[in-house]
Amino acid sequence: MRDNTDPADLHPVIYPVIEEVSQLVGVPCSPATVGAILSAYGDTLARAVVAFRVATGERNSGDLDCRFTMLPPDLDPYAVAVSNGLIAATNHPVAGLLGELHRGFPIGFSGIDFGVVAGFKKTWSFFPLDDLQPLSELAALESMPPSAAGNLGLFTRYGLADRVSLVGIDYRSRSVNLYFGAAPAEIFTAAALTSILREAGLPAPSERLLRFATQAFGIYATLTWDSPKVERITIAAMTADPSTLAVTVEPAIEDFLKNAPYSTAGHQFVYAITAAPGGEYHKLQSYYRWRSQVETTLLVPGSK
């Protein structure tokens, strides 16, 4: 059931920040949409890591994504979303995947994504840092997209298949993100990145992406149930100052970069470039509420 309580009463600190960031990026914040989500997850959000994400490209326009992570590992965020009317139940395999993951694999903590316009979108399931999971076992899950097994050979050839650190499930686009933690440094070289994109059937990387990759730490792939192909591959870098990266920040997200609020002594960002069939697009994630464990959790080189 949706709660009509004023969202500022539910979370008097974080809701005004969500409104502020929405105004910064020119997106109308829906109190009803955001309030229903804050009400549904309640106190589980009290100590969550909070980040905001903006992106270029038509598919990302018109919304602001809010990400809450480090939620309790025993939480089933999808079940919460369905039971509170944040998203409709479905017989599609996407509905069963999180339950299979949490029953069959160790979970360090969970997370959710929602848009201030579109509402609830995604769940995140993080594996313990000392127990990254093999894609071969994840691909065997009944609800996992068949493309995970179909591309096992591809990810094995590039030294990624035994390093799955995080699974994201997008219920609106019906897709899955597989994050490969502690990826071998070689994957971020021009030769390897060009090769894996070619084998995945994606466009060749731009010079900008190749330069950016030299400073990257993360790589993840997006899969769907509707295609045997890898839909997208994303390269990510964490930094306190995106201007130090070997990439020009897109004008569409420059204001967000300069003015996004944060509640800690230092600011942290994840900048990412996605290779997709329609061309590359850029994403910037700004952390509002930060914990030092985030870098460790994301397996950023040099973190402890």
Side-chain angles (χ1 to χ4, degrees), residues 152-236:
L152 178 59
L154 171 68
F155 297 124
T156 300
R157 286 193 294 278
Y158 290 91
L160 300 172
D162 291 331
R163 302 171 182 264
V164 182
S165 58
L166 164 62
V167 177
I169 307 171
D170 189 320
Y171 295 90
R172 294 190 180 275
S173 67
R174 293 183 174 176
S175 62
V176 170
N177 291 336
L178 298 175
Y179 285 69
F180 301 103
E186 293 77 15
I187 195 68
F188 302 109
T189 63
L193 189 54
T194 300
S195 180
I196 193 172
L197 292 181
R198 181 176 60 247
E199 286 195 51
L202 293 167
S206 66
E207 287 299 320
R208 182 161 59 169
L209 175 53
L210 293 178
R211 290 194 306 272
F212 172 74
T214 63
Q215 298 170 280
F217 77 91
I219 179 170
Y220 64 91
T222 302
L223 308 172
T224 72
W225 284 265
D226 299 326
S227 171
K229 297 181 178 181
V230 176
E231 291 292 303
R232 299 183 291 278
I233 288 180
T234 299
I235 305 296

Side-chain angles (χ1 to χ4, degrees), residues 33-34 37 63-66 113-121 172:
T33 298
V34 175
I37 294 168
D63 208 348
L64 168 71
D65 283 342
C66 307
D113 271 17
F114 63 89
V116 299
V117 175
F120 177 83
K121 293 182 177 180
R172 294 190 180 275

Side-chain angles (χ1 to χ4, degrees), residues 52-134:
F52 301 106
R53 197 201 73 164
V54 294
T56 63
E58 184 176 349
R59 71 184 300 271
N60 299 297
S61 64
D63 208 348
L64 168 71
D65 283 342
C66 307
R67 180 167 298 177
F68 288 72
T69 55
M70 292 195 173
L71 304 183
D74 57 350
L75 177 73
D76 183 333
Y78 175 66
V80 172
V82 172
S83 65
N84 285 274
L86 305 179
I87 195 166
T90 175
N91 292 325
H92 189 277
V94 71
L97 183 54
L98 185 138
E100 286 191 62
L101 276 174
H102 286 219
R103 289 190 298 271
F105 295 86
I107 302 299
F109 57 89
S110 298
I112 60 168
D113 271 17
F114 63 89
V116 299
V117 175
F120 177 83
K121 293 182 177 180
K122 298 180 183 179
T123 62
W124 303 99
S125 299
F126 293 77
F127 301 126
L129 300 180
D130 59 354
D131 200 5
L132 303 186
Q133 297 300 309

